[in-house]
Amino acid sequence: MSTGAVDPTTTAAWSRLARLAGSFQPDLRSSLTPDWVEEQTLVAGDLHVDLSKNLVDAEVESALLALADEVDVLGRRDAMLAGERINVTEDRAVLHTALRLPAGASLTVDGQDVVADVHEVLERAYAFAERVRSGEWTGVTGRRIETVVNIGIGGSDLGPVMAYEALEPYRQDGLSCRFISNIDPTDAGQSLSGLDPETTLFIVSSKTFGTLETLTNARLCRAWLLEQLPAGTDADAAVAQHFVAVSTALDKVADFGIDTDNAFGFWDWVGGRYSMDSAIGLSLVIAIGPERFAELLAGFHAMDEHFRTAPAAANVPLRMGLLNVWYTNFLGAHTHAVLPYSQLLHRFPAYLQQLTMESNGKGVRWDGTPVDYDTGEVFWGEPGTNGQHAFYQLIHQGTRLVPADFIAFARPAYPLVDEVDGRQVDVHELFLANFFAQTKALAFGKTADEVRAEGVEEALVPARTFPGNRPTTSIMAPLLTPGVLGQLVALYEHITFVEGAVWGIDSFDQWGVELGKQLAQELGPAVSGDTGVLAEQDPSTQSLIGYYQEHRG
Ligand code: F6P
């Protein structure tokens, strides 16, 4: 694989796409034929993916696939899967896919069988989780653990919390998790409130074990624990029983005072936002159990295999990634909505924000050359139907193009029935009717004549007309199981990869978060009253800190 990044705008396919975009007149009302729907409905594992309501035709699709060929997306995919150091700016391999290779598979990187390493840690994490779940692992006073508190931020928080919420029906009774991420002391304050220290286990999750928020919160929790436990409890014994860690930096874990026997490692070839299926998922393993966690990993792996082996035209992550490129670079979209029709997925958009935006919010290619085309999409969303009563107005009738992914499951987690006028109404069916209605409304809209035919007075016709041709992808699966969740997450990981590969950027570094961290460290003394440091600041920062000092009470 060549290390020089291709400027995608220099390819023949890019020029062809620009030409096609110039004259493209979408008309889903006429183009959405049964043959088109059949052709555009793809299957990946348990996921049924309907791409038919996107604003493309066969010619655009073939040009998108040609673009993928010209920039060698699949070559880069193979390089990633083989453990090449495609994270160029950090000189690292990118091997989150190795986290879900089955035991017995083999992948050697720098002379080391990474699959064996992965399974060794997994087995330890599974054994530890079983001890907590069974009550064999107790707090220092001998009481069974009832609450697990994960302390972590970014990738060390968003994946575990998202999956914990999504897999709520699979959790063990009597054992719950809380998540502390924000350095806002409210987060620790609220999360610790009402907890019994004797039955609480803390997991300090940090890839680097150097993140200010996480270490601060870990110290706050340690102090809280030692203060709240019965007087006379041995502090070292308490920390040993109530604190475990997940990190790549086991030396720093030891410095913090956590016994490395109770630490679970991972590797620098796992990016933070790609780590929920490593030991970073320990809180989830405890909550849902090793067997369910293994199903989650199998789901990830099934999607990896699909991405690795499916022919380009049937390859769901490839096709969805290329659609996003089309919308971003040729049709002028800036954002991308993800709309799960599942309350259990209420943290999925937040999870995807880190995955996609920390990965693809880059302005230079992986060889350092600047891009002169848009990269990254602003991902956002909320579960349906809540979003319908909040921001769907803009998607339906606003002036912006917002491609949207709709996600739904045939079977409900909670099958509830409502009784209306003596009739039994399956509430999940009512819910799904909304899911089907929204993509239909977005695609077909409502013409002025249709509005008039409803008897609407002429002055109101424009406001009540829907332009239609608003693109959506519908993703369905039978039920939100651990395996299906793994497939969904891996699908978006690979979509993100495809976009980054087309744009020629390094989707696996995150230098853009460093400056803010550095300045926060520098400003700390000014905030606490160091007038010398304050005087060195720009006038706006001085004025804001001044406001704080005046009002801090
Ligand atoms: O926000 C930057 C970042 O490095 C993320 O990429 C990462 O997920 C998060 O901070 C937390 O990092 P760590 O797991 O090392 O504490």
Side-chain angles (χ1 to χ4, degrees):
M1 193 202 58
S2 113
T3 47
V6 178
D7 175 348
T9 65
T10 62
T11 61
W14 191 280
S15 308
R16 193 169 138 209
L17 285 161
R19 257 195 327 273
L20 290 170
S23 57
F24 188 64
Q25 298 281 349
D27 181 10
L28 287 171
R29 282 192 180 220
S30 64
S31 64
L32 216 143
T33 62
D35 285 349
W36 179 253
V37 175
E38 195 184 324
E39 195 184 308
Q40 298 297 316
T41 301
L42 306 180
V43 175
D46 294 315
L47 306 187
H48 170 100
V49 182
D50 180 353
L51 301 175
S52 68
K53 297 195 192 85
N54 280 288
L55 304 185
V56 285
D57 57 15
E59 218 183 333
V60 171
E61 278 192 349
S62 100
L64 285 169
L65 289 170
L67 175 64
D69 250 4
E70 281 191 74
V71 300
D72 196 21
V73 171
L74 298 184
R76 200 159 169 78
R77 170 201 66 189
D78 294 340
M80 172 176 74
L81 296 176
E84 284 185 37
R85 293 175 177 261
I86 65 163
N87 178 354
V88 178
T89 70
E90 295 181 326
D91 191 23
R92 287 178 181 164
V94 174
L95 272 178
H96 44 278
T97 49
L99 296 170
R100 49 264 193 160
L101 281 171
S106 143
L107 179 63
T108 305
V109 177
D110 296 335
Q112 184 68 19
D113 180 0
V114 296
V115 186
D117 291 349
V118 164
H119 281 272
E120 193 258 323
V121 176
L122 261 184
E123 289 312 319
R124 285 185 56 232
Y126 286 172
F128 177 74
E130 285 297 19
R131 291 179 71 194
V132 175
R133 288 164 64 83
S134 67
E136 183 198 326
W137 178 283
T138 64
V140 67
T141 57
R143 291 186 48 203
R144 189 185 177 119
I145 299 299
E146 289 170 3
T147 311
V148 175
V149 178
N150 185 76
I151 308 169
I153 194 164
S156 300
D157 166 72
L158 288 162
V161 76
M162 177 278 291
Y164 177 75
E165 294 294 311
L167 300 178
E168 183 261 352
Y170 299 90
R171 291 182 209 155
Q172 174 166 302
D173 286 343
L175 195 52
S176 64
C177 294
R178 295 189 186 185
F179 297 84
I180 303 180
S181 54
N182 202 333
I183 199 166
D184 179 344
T186 309
D187 200 3
Q190 288 181 334
S191 301
L192 294 174
S193 153
L195 284 188
D196 182 341
E198 295 184 51
T199 59
T200 301
L201 174 73
F202 294 96
I203 304 176
V204 187
S205 299
S206 174
K207 180 177 168 182
T208 55
F209 226 78
T211 303
L212 181 71
E213 289 88 338
T214 300
L215 294 186
T216 305
N217 281 322
R219 281 190 297 271
L220 288 177
C221 292
R222 187 173 52 187
W224 172 87
L225 179 84
L226 298 178
E227 232 170 75
Q228 302 285 322
L229 281 171
T233 309
D234 178 76
D236 288 344
V239 172
Q241 283 306 114
H242 291 265
F243 272 82
V244 300
V246 182
S247 185
T248 58
L250 297 180
D251 48 336
K252 294 188 186 160
V253 170
D255 290 347
F256 184 84
I258 296 175
D259 185 347
T260 46
D261 281 352
N262 301 330
F264 303 87
F266 61 114
W267 307 271
D268 71 358
W269 41 259
V270 183
R273 54 195 174 274
Y274 297 87
S275 67
M276 63 169 271
D277 46 342
S278 70
I280 287 290
L282 185 62
S283 52
L284 185 67
V285 185
I286 296 173
I288 65 171
E291 211 173 300
R292 298 300 193 185
F293 193 82
E295 285 170 26
L296 176 88
L297 294 183
F300 272 98
H301 181 62
M303 185 56 69
D304 296 342
E305 282 301 282
H306 171 86
F307 184 44
R308 188 177 70 82
T309 60
N315 195 307
V316 178
L318 179 68
R319 293 281 307 277
M320 288 181 72
L322 291 172
L323 282 169
N324 293 353
V325 169
W326 168 244
Y327 292 127
T328 302
N329 298 111
F330 300 95
L331 298 191
H334 290 100
T335 82
H336 194 115
V338 57
L339 308 167
Y341 277 66
S342 165
Q343 188 59 30
L344 293 172
L345 284 181
H346 72 111
R347 293 295 288 163
F348 194 55
Y351 170 77
L352 289 186
Q353 284 183 332
Q354 188 200 15
L355 175 65
T356 62
M357 290 159 74
E358 204 171 71
S359 295
N360 285 341
K362 311 285 163 66
V364 294
R365 287 186 283 270
W366 69 68
D367 58 6
T369 52
V371 304
D372 58 359
Y373 42 87
D374 281 335
T375 66
E377 303 154 276
V378 177
F379 262 76
W380 59 284
E382 278 288 324
T385 59
N386 295 4
Q388 291 177 204
H389 296 272
F391 52 76
Y392 277 36
Q393 165 67 42
L394 184 148
I395 306 181
H396 281 285
Q397 286 187 313
T399 55
R400 296 177 191 282
L401 176 68
V402 184
D405 298 346
F406 281 70
I407 303 169
F409 304 95
R411 303 207 309 266
Y414 291 90
L416 299 178
V417 174
D418 183 24
E419 204 174 300
V420 185
D421 301 333
R423 262 182 332 114
Q424 303 277 300
V425 179
D426 178 332
V427 181
H428 187 64
E429 289 191 348
L430 206 56
F431 183 40
L432 285 185
N434 277 274
F435 167 82
F436 298 124
Q438 288 297 328
T439 59
K440 184 176 162 83
L442 287 163
F444 303 132
K446 197 191 240 185
T447 65
D449 283 344
E450 286 166 345
V451 175
R452 284 186 195 105
E454 287 176 350
V456 171
E457 63 176 280
E458 195 56 32
L460 292 180
V461 168
R464 298 187 61 168
T465 299
F466 289 70
N469 292 319
R470 310 265 154 152
T472 62
T473 292
S474 298
I475 302 173
M476 296 191 73
L479 179 69
L480 182 54
T481 59
V484 164
L485 182 67
Q487 292 171 46
L488 259 183
V489 174
L491 169 62
Y492 280 91
E493 286 177 349
H494 299 323
I495 291 170
T496 303
F497 172 87
V498 168
E499 291 174 63
V502 170
W503 291 323
I505 57 179
D506 185 337
S507 298
F508 303 100
D509 62 14
Q510 56 284 318
W511 298 107
V513 300
E514 294 304 321
L515 180 59
K517 286 188 198 171
Q518 186 189 326
L519 291 183
Q521 295 277 10
E522 281 171 30
L523 287 174
V527 177
S528 315
D530 184 325
T531 49
V533 178
L534 185 63
E536 288 163 11
Q537 306 308 319
D538 65 90
S540 168
T541 304
Q542 283 192 34
S543 151
L544 290 167
I545 293 176
Y547 177 89
Y548 158 70
Q549 288 172 341
E550 220 176 286
H551 291 86
R552 68 180 150 194

